Structure formats: structure tokens, C-alpha cells
Amino acid sequence: MQTEELLFFDPMPQALPLYQALREHVAAACPDLRVKVSKTQISFYHRRLFAMVSLPLRRRKGWPPCCLVVTFGLGRRAESPRILQAIEPYPGRWTHHVPVETTGDLDAELFAWLDEACRFARSKR
């Protein structure tokens, strides 16, 4: 893990263990993973951007106070009560936002979406 990734969690250090567990899965599922840290998010790339992690520093109504916001892109709209927002910024490209509050939220459903997002990004030219 990069130093920049650790520093990203200075405003909310209690979210770091969630990120570490999430990143471990993503790195194992996508061995050629590239990670880019910016001021507002940590981005995961294969050939293209496929997922991001951010902190809810400016929370929306109904979002938990301490969590990771996991964002990923799919070629379809995923349906689940866990998805707080899904938008279609481009035809055939859906962006989903899922809060992760506990390690229990890092489950097979979320990992399946992230794996699908990596495959979807890999398929794009």
C-alpha cells in the first residue's frame, strides 16, 4: 500500500481497515491493478477506471457518518437496496455508489460487482 493511500484516511482513520480489506480483494482479483490517490478519492484502474473509494466528508442525507463510499461502473444497472445511488452518465455505463460501514459489508455481493466492474473496464477499447 502506498503512503498516499494511508494519508488519505487522516480525516477518518477508522475507515482505513475497511479500505485495506477492500483493496486486498481488488488487488487479488485484478493483478495488474493500478491505484491513483487524489484529494477526494482513491481510484482503481485496470486499463481503465473501474472503481473508486471515497470518504463521506460531505454526506448526503441518509448516508452513514463513518463509512467508505465504494463507486463502480457496470454495463448494466445493478439492483440492490445497498446501492444508494445509480446513474447512467453514458448510454450503457452505469455508476453505482455503495456505502461500506463494517467488514460485514465487504461480502460476496460487493466483490462480485467489483469483479464485474474490472471485467467491464477490461472489455472497453
Side-chain angles (χ1 to χ4, degrees):
M1 188 172 317
Q2 305 168 26
T3 302
E4 294 84 7
E5 289 173 276
L6 297 172
L7 294 173
F8 181 85
F9 291 94
D10 279 353
M12 197 176 291
Q14 62 273 35
L16 179 59
L18 295 172
Y19 174 75
Q20 289 171 318
L22 178 79
R23 187 190 192 286
E24 184 177 300
H25 170 83
V26 172
C30 191
D32 51 352
L33 178 70
R34 288 185 301 116
V35 177
K36 180 181 175 190
V37 181
S38 69
K39 187 174 185 176
T40 59
Q41 69 187 28
I42 299 174
S43 303
F44 297 137
Y45 292 84
H46 171 55
R47 282 184 21 207
R48 298 186 184 274
L49 176 67
F50 68 91
M52 297 151 282
V53 172
S54 57
L55 297 173
L57 299 179
R58 284 186 268 165
R59 289 182 297 144
R60 293 186 175 167
K61 186 177 181 181
W63 288 43
C66 177
C67 68
L68 292 179
V69 178
V70 179
T71 303
F72 53 89
L74 301 177
R76 64 179 178 89
R77 182 182 184 139
E79 297 292 338
S80 172
R82 298 173 65 180
I83 298 172
L84 292 183
Q85 184 179 33
I87 58 169
E88 187 179 25
Y90 304 103
R93 169 89 181 183
W94 284 89
T95 302
H96 303 78
H97 303 282
V98 176
V100 173
E101 292 182 76
T102 69
T103 55
D105 295 331
L106 300 171
D107 61 4
E109 181 178 48
L110 179 63
F111 291 149
W113 287 328
L114 292 171
D115 295 349
E116 182 181 346
C118 184
R119 288 191 307 274
F120 181 63
R122 189 177 295 143
S123 73
K124 294 295 177 188
R125 294 183 183 237

